[in-house]
Amino acid sequence: MIKKEGAYYPANEFRKAAQFNDESVYNTAQKDPVKFWEKLARQLFWRKTWTKAFVHRPPYFQWFVGGKLNITENCLERNLPRNKDKVALIWEPELLDEKPRHLTYGELFWEVGRCANALKSLGVKKGDRVGIYLPMIPEVMISMLACARIGAIHSVVFSAFSPQALKVRLQDTRAKVLITADGYYRRGQVISLKAAADEALADTQIKKVVVVKRVGQEVAWRKGRDFWWPDLLAKAKAQCSPVAMDSEDPLFILYTSGSTGKPKGCVHTNGGYAVQSLWTGKWIFDFGDKDVFWCTADVGWVTGHTYGIYSPLLNGATSLMFEGAPDFPEPDRWCQIIEKHRVTIFYTAPTAIRMFARYEHFVKKHDLTSLRLLGSVGEPIDEAAWYWYFKNVGHEKCPIVDTWWQTETGGILITSLPGLGPFKPGFTGRPFPGVKTDILDDQGKPCPIDKKGNLVIRSPFSPGLLRNIYKNPKKYLETYWTRYGQKIYFTSDGALRDKHGLIRIIGRVDDVIKVAGHRISTGELENAVNKHPLVSECAVVGIPDKIKGEVPVIFAVSAEAPAKADLPALKQTIIDQIKKEIGPIALPKELYLVEDLPKTRSGKIMRRILKRLFTDEDLGDLSTLSNPEIVEKIKKIIVR
Ligand code: WT7
């Protein structure tokens, strides 16, 4: 690596060999982004070419209008002539004594065909929604592709989400079929997934459930509704011709947290998403013939969708999927996996990096020399974590791509490209070629250099940006296309730009907090807590955390003042309520039972003041509160 003015640039050999190393592309793309994306789109296999590349009717827009393709034909058939025997998926189970599975492109093609026919036999048709509640096992990749093959819209729900969270999503999509598993392994435990799914199904439209056999445990069974995956697939033919999808037909719905209590179903389409997945992967992760790419994100999140599944497959690359937790049974499990499978490109989150850094001695035991490129995603990566990653994992030889994007954007939109750089700690980089970003002040004027403002994306946005919130166009308009009008996409992130045009992401400007890179809305958490019969009101705020970046803390007011001795029990039932509504990822760092919350005279809860109790920041003017005395009382509870 070459060092210059506090930033790093790729070594000459790296640059020369990279998939992307032509600075001039940025300029050409900027001049005519639509033409640029069109040129990239031609690399895919289209059943029918589009008639118009970009159509904008604010707040809606479309890409490759009139074009027809099937994304799985691009992931599978397009790769078969050259890569039939190349490994598409390496699967590493959690159990150390279990063997990894390798699926070649040829085998994957066969499995996807069988699964697609099996879904057809259950009555799934183009446009139907299929729920997928699966852990990190090969069947999740097969299921997603099988849906896409026949034009069904997959909606993957993170396997650690609670039955209630699954139910809400299934109700929203009105899926008729759910694919799940009997269970899976996590930190040495068997997690009973089928039981959780069963609990979710009442009051949904689910008519058929397909169950993968992962752990071989006894499960409750409803005849006529439940089908074992192996039985169903054994009866299915492998030959399944791909349905030609309209470029703008939905490919998947993925739920994410917004400012309010209800999760939003982001709708992603076939054509634009495929184009963006293919090219962001090729240029940002520099996929070459011999690479083994490991994206550690769970497939329940968008990172798992795009960079665990679609992007590597569209590029004919080898993707590694790991069932378990990166630090189980020992904190060096992730190093073992890199060493064992000779991983060359490693993509993870700052939270994980900060956790790995705690166990530096473990890292030193392993041979990580197969690595040639590193990536980070999900939250800002602080300089300390950046340098640790750079030195101890990349041995100062691997570029680090800090990639900014969102569930909504479908693929990476801001990063440095590995063949060009610069890689500068604290900065994610430049907008991807063909993407026009801006940083605006409150009035909508572009911010000068180094000044914080709101990050926005200008037309023509990007082919992979969401097209709607499922069945909620009002929310779509309000969330993304109101802050700066219907022609500018509002990201809800604060950012600034340095004199070289590199972007630093400050963090969310809405009520979303990033806990270990996961997106949790304080509103959603508050809703869950408020459902507890003994809670009259509550406030959730995010506070800084050394490992997770941010963590939620809850202030709850109980309807009846409970006796001191009953407090621990009450707290526990509130925690259980959160587990039930959302799942273990949303658990707070602390839960404080307080007698009141700081409020303005009009009754608005002042979360800002609660948040400041945990930082060095001045509390500000308390005289506008109707109950300023409560702040002192809460302070005492926190200190205790
Ligand atoms: C939010 C989106 C996109 C994949 C995973 C997260 C934050 C994302 C970065 C980064 C600083 C980042 C933003 C964004 N974020 N990447 N490289 N640097 N912040 O997807 O759950 O939809 O969250 O994550 O705040 O808005 P998501």
Side-chain angles (χ1 to χ4, degrees):
M1 297 275 270
I2 301 164
K3 193 171 178 187
K4 218 166 57 189
E5 292 174 33
Y8 294 85
Y9 294 81
N12 282 335
E13 313 92 81
F14 192 107
R15 183 174 48 80
K16 280 190 207 132
Q19 300 275 353
F20 184 99
N21 52 19
D22 182 359
E23 180 68 44
S24 72
V25 174
Y26 276 103
N27 288 328
T28 355
Q30 190 72 6
K31 275 187 206 126
D32 194 342
V34 174
K35 197 166 149 202
F36 166 78
W37 285 113
E38 264 191 293
K39 192 172 161 203
L40 299 191
R42 285 194 197 102
Q43 296 285 319
L44 284 170
F45 174 70
W46 295 79
R47 287 289 178 114
K48 186 165 167 267
T49 313
W50 56 94
T51 49
K52 196 131 182 36
F54 179 70
V55 174
H56 195 186
R57 286 188 203 94
Y60 296 101
F61 62 94
Q62 297 178 309
W63 279 93
F64 313 115
V65 181
K68 282 190 187 292
L69 83 170
N70 187 291
I71 195 167
T72 71
E73 200 170 10
N74 280 282
C75 291
L76 301 168
E77 281 97 325
R78 195 165 139 270
N79 287 316
L80 291 180
R82 211 163 77 96
N83 284 331
K84 184 164 163 286
D85 297 320
K86 179 172 174 172
V87 174
L89 177 70
I90 302 174
W91 177 68
E92 171 77 14
E94 182 182 274
L95 303 178
L96 286 163
D97 52 9
E98 202 178 345
K99 285 219 167 61
R101 268 177 78 183
H102 291 81
L103 275 179
T104 64
Y105 274 90
E107 288 162 342
L108 184 63
F109 175 61
W110 192 71
E111 292 288 346
V112 169
R114 287 203 309 154
C115 182
N117 281 324
L119 290 176
K120 275 200 212 166
S121 76
L122 296 180
V124 178
K125 292 191 202 56
K126 181 179 167 189
D128 288 348
R129 281 79 55 216
V130 173
I132 299 180
Y133 188 48
L134 282 174
M136 292 288 275
I137 54 177
E139 287 79 1
V140 75
M141 178 185 263
I142 296 165
S143 303
M144 289 162 76
L145 295 177
C147 290
R149 187 92 182 157
I150 58 174
I153 303 166
H154 59 71
S155 183
V156 178
V157 178
F158 181 38
S159 56
F161 273 151
S162 69
Q164 181 62 24
L166 172 63
K167 182 199 286 289
V168 169
R169 286 156 178 79
L170 292 177
Q171 284 173 334
D172 200 58
T173 58
R174 296 212 218 117
K176 280 179 282 186
V177 172
L178 176 71
I179 308 176
T180 186
D182 54 351
Y184 62 99
Y185 297 96
R186 189 77 182 177
R187 296 186 182 280
Q189 306 270 316
V190 173
I191 311 283
S192 305
L193 198 63
K194 168 74 163 57
D198 282 339
E199 219 184 304
L201 295 187
D203 307 320
T204 70
Q205 313 260 321
I206 296 290
K207 303 277 179 317
K208 313 271 183 211
V209 180
V210 183
V211 188
V212 177
K213 238 182 214 159
R214 166 69 189 116
V215 293
Q217 66 170 193
E218 282 264 329
V219 292
W221 204 253
R222 189 177 295 175
K223 249 190 132 183
R225 185 196 71 179
D226 299 347
F227 300 84
W228 283 113
W229 168 290
D231 297 349
L232 205 59
L233 265 71
K235 287 188 218 128
K237 284 192 317 212
Q239 179 56 41
C240 175
S241 40
V243 173
M245 300 298 285
D246 204 286
S247 171
E248 284 291 312
D249 279 335
L251 170 65
F252 67 86
I253 302 168
L254 183 63
Y255 286 82
T256 188
S257 298
S259 306
T260 54
K262 203 171 164 259
K264 302 180 298 198
C266 296
V267 178
H268 286 285
T269 55
N270 281 272
Y273 178 82
V275 173
Q276 201 177 316
S277 301
L278 170 66
W279 287 94
T280 52
K282 195 184 288 299
W283 286 351
I284 299 165
F285 297 116
D286 194 41
F287 292 132
D289 280 344
K290 299 208 162 54
D291 280 309
V292 175
F293 176 60
W294 183 16
C295 162
T296 64
D298 192 283
V299 71
W301 310 104
V302 76
T303 313
H305 278 59
T306 307
Y307 298 104
I309 310 278
Y310 286 111
S311 180
L313 296 179
L314 286 166
N315 280 286
T318 301
S319 180
L320 187 143
M321 178 189 282
F322 172 47
E323 180 184 34
D327 59 346
F328 185 85
E330 297 288 344
D332 61 344
R333 182 67 193 271
W334 65 281
C335 298
Q336 276 178 17
I337 294 172
I338 293 175
E339 187 172 0
K340 175 173 171 186
H341 296 288
R342 306 296 295 161
V343 171
T344 61
I345 310 165
F346 182 58
Y347 188 34
T348 195
T351 294
I353 298 167
R354 289 189 291 262
M355 186 188 71
F356 301 152
R358 281 192 164 180
Y359 302 99
E360 199 170 305
H361 54 291
F362 273 107
V363 179
K364 293 212 155 50
K365 288 198 303 200
H366 293 275
D367 173 12
L368 304 181
T369 53
S370 57
L371 292 172
R372 65 180 196 89
L373 178 58
L374 302 175
S376 172
V377 63
E379 50 180 318
I381 173 165
D382 51 284
E383 288 199 19
W386 196 98
Y387 277 109
W388 185 86
Y389 198 31
F390 185 65
K391 290 195 173 119
N392 295 283
V393 183
H395 300 298
E396 301 189 24
K397 283 204 222 76
C398 304
I400 297 181
V401 288
D402 175 8
T403 61
W404 177 90
W405 58 301
Q406 309 177 302
T407 307
E408 289 86 344
T409 68
I412 298 164
L413 291 192
I414 306 177
T415 185
S416 287
L417 292 173
L420 284 180
F423 316 108
K424 186 174 175 186
F427 288 81
T428 115
R430 289 185 275 180
F432 193 79
V435 176
K436 290 189 173 177
T437 62
D438 213 337
I439 295 169
L440 303 181
D441 68 13
D442 284 343
Q443 278 68 49
K445 281 215 242 20
C447 290
I449 282 160
D450 291 334
K451 176 119 191 337
K452 281 185 210 169
N454 292 321
L455 179 69
V456 300
I457 306 167
R458 292 188 184 277
S459 163
F461 318 111
S462 70
L465 189 66
L466 86 165
R467 299 302 196 268
N468 219 333
I469 302 274
Y470 192 63
K471 295 234 176 77
N472 201 344
K474 191 164 158 263
K475 186 105 236 166
Y476 171 76
L477 177 66
E478 272 167 22
T479 315
Y480 311 111
W481 310 99
T482 298
R483 182 67 184 77
Y484 292 111
Q486 294 198 10
K487 290 185 182 159
I488 296 180
Y489 174 84
F490 176 53
T491 64
S492 295
D493 270 321
L496 61 79
R497 189 177 359 213
D498 77 356
K499 61 176 193 277
H500 304 292
L502 300 183
I503 295 171
R504 178 202 283 274
I505 305 291
I506 318 277
R508 301 285 301 195
V509 297
D510 58 3
D511 293 327
V512 165
I513 55 177
K514 300 283 328 219
V515 183
H518 297 148
R519 186 161 153 179
I520 290 173
S521 100
T522 53
E524 202 175 335
L525 248 177
E526 286 176 4
N527 271 358
V529 174
N530 283 333
K531 281 192 187 159
H532 191 285
L534 290 179
V535 171
S536 55
E537 58 179 354
C538 75
V540 173
V541 295
I543 63 164
D545 180 87
K546 282 210 177 75
I547 299 285
K548 296 183 171 176
E550 244 183 326
V551 285
V553 294
I554 301 177
F555 296 88
V557 181
S558 178
E560 302 152 32
K564 238 192 178 149
D566 297 337
L567 289 183
L570 174 58
K571 276 192 187 182
Q572 190 54 49
T573 56
I574 299 176
I575 299 283
D576 291 343
Q577 175 80 20
I578 299 168
K579 275 195 202 152
K580 181 172 157 241
E581 292 291 326
I582 307 176
I585 63 153
L587 291 184
K589 171 133 185 189
E590 287 292 347
L591 190 153
Y592 301 107
L593 289 167
V594 293
E595 57 186 80
D596 200 1
L597 298 166
K599 284 184 199 137
T600 61
R601 295 209 172 89
S602 58
K604 199 171 156 258
I605 299 172
M606 293 299 283
R607 292 176 181 76
R608 208 173 347 146
I609 292 177
L610 293 171
K611 203 175 158 109
R612 286 185 188 153
L613 292 173
F614 295 89
T615 63
D616 301 331
E617 243 182 300
D618 188 60
L619 288 182
D621 183 11
L622 300 183
S623 67
T624 55
L625 296 182
S626 67
N627 55 350
E629 70 290 345
I630 194 66
V631 178
E632 270 311 307
K633 285 192 186 164
I634 294 180
K635 229 180 185 170
K636 282 194 193 126
I637 296 180
I638 293 175
V639 176
R640 250 191 287 133

